[in-house]
Amino acid sequence: MAAACAVTAGAVLLPLARATPDAGHPPVVREPASMAVAPAAPWVLTDTCPDPEASLRPSGLDGAAIARIKAAGKLVAGVDQNSFRWGYRNQAKEGGGLDGFDIDLVKAIAQDILGDPNAVIYRAIPTSQRVPALQEGRVDIVVRTMTINCKRLEDVAFSTAYFEAGQQVLAPKGSPITGYDTSLKDKRICFASGSTAEAALKSQSYGSVPVTVPNQLDCLVRLQLGEVDGIITDNALAAGQAAQDPAVQLVGSPFTREFYGVAMNKDASDLVRRVNKVLEGYRAGGNDSPWMKSYLKHLAPVLPGVTGPPAPKYRDG
């Protein structure tokens, strides 16, 4: 596979003071907790298939997809380079290399398949290109805060869930916007094309004016420039954006319950099973698990209080 295309540096990140996570509760693989629903929201994003988070059972056996990756000697991963703490250009690293929670997971997958966490070609892809990049064979996996849902399962396969999040509103401090409710009326609300936020606003806009961008971080830039009044995105991503810009904040409650998964080609069942095997080990170990170490390093400062990853769900066939 050809070498990865060059990627440009993302937005400048502001300094962030570290927060100390709650040390009194040992992290465990957990059943996801319920999220509060915005009181005024008359709907939720409803999936039409049973247990969309259920994935193929883990296996270490090689198949066609694993053999191709081994022959190439590199894992080609579709990632973000602009999502603070998830996948971003860390200027504190030598050369401003990619860093973040999603990047750590990519390295764990490469280590398992190729024996080298750095045997990765990273391709920075916008939100709207996550599915096409897999279908066209430009990447082997997408690890980019991608929510598992039934619509996407028509086009790609997913691993078991590795993080739980929810859609929420990000607005400037002092804004009259109070959450995903009637306060959005006539407000310019930004979201990324192909995101679950787009589906939410199509179902219930509350009279807002939609503003679509290719990459979710573009919304923060537009908010800073006064071109939009608010943003709808995953609260896990929005927490990082609020850390970048202390003039904005999350408002209201999360109004969906979503789970991130590693996306792969639908025909790559051996790769799906292999990634699920990696995730089994990645979650294991409580406080000492690779998952928790990555969370404490990257996400606890901006998204404190998470006690562990969601428990995996499996299906046969």
Side-chain angles (χ1 to χ4, degrees), residues 26-79:
V28 295
V29 176
R30 59 188 173 79
E31 288 297 330
S34 298
M35 282 193 170
V37 177
W43 72 284
V44 293
L45 289 174
T46 304
D47 272 321
T48 56
C49 58
D51 285 331
E53 295 86 26
S55 183
L56 296 174
R57 297 188 182 278
S59 172
L61 296 177
D62 290 1
I66 297 292
R68 178 176 48 76
I69 293 168
K70 287 185 173 181
K74 295 284 186 181
L75 175 71
V76 184
V79 298

Side-chain angles (χ1 to χ4, degrees), residues 80 126-130 144 152 167 189-202 210-220 230-234 237 241:
D80 199 352
T127 305
S128 60
Q129 286 299 304
R130 292 178 297 188
R144 196 187 181 287
R152 288 174 178 162
Q167 294 292 305
I189 302 301
C190 189
F191 54 86
S193 176
S195 66
T196 45
E198 181 177 30
L201 282 174
K202 282 183 178 178
V211 178
T212 311
V213 296
N215 277 305
Q216 204 279 326
L217 191 66
D218 296 337
C219 284
L220 181 60
I231 300 168
I232 292 182
T233 188
D234 303 359
L237 287 174
Q241 292 180 356

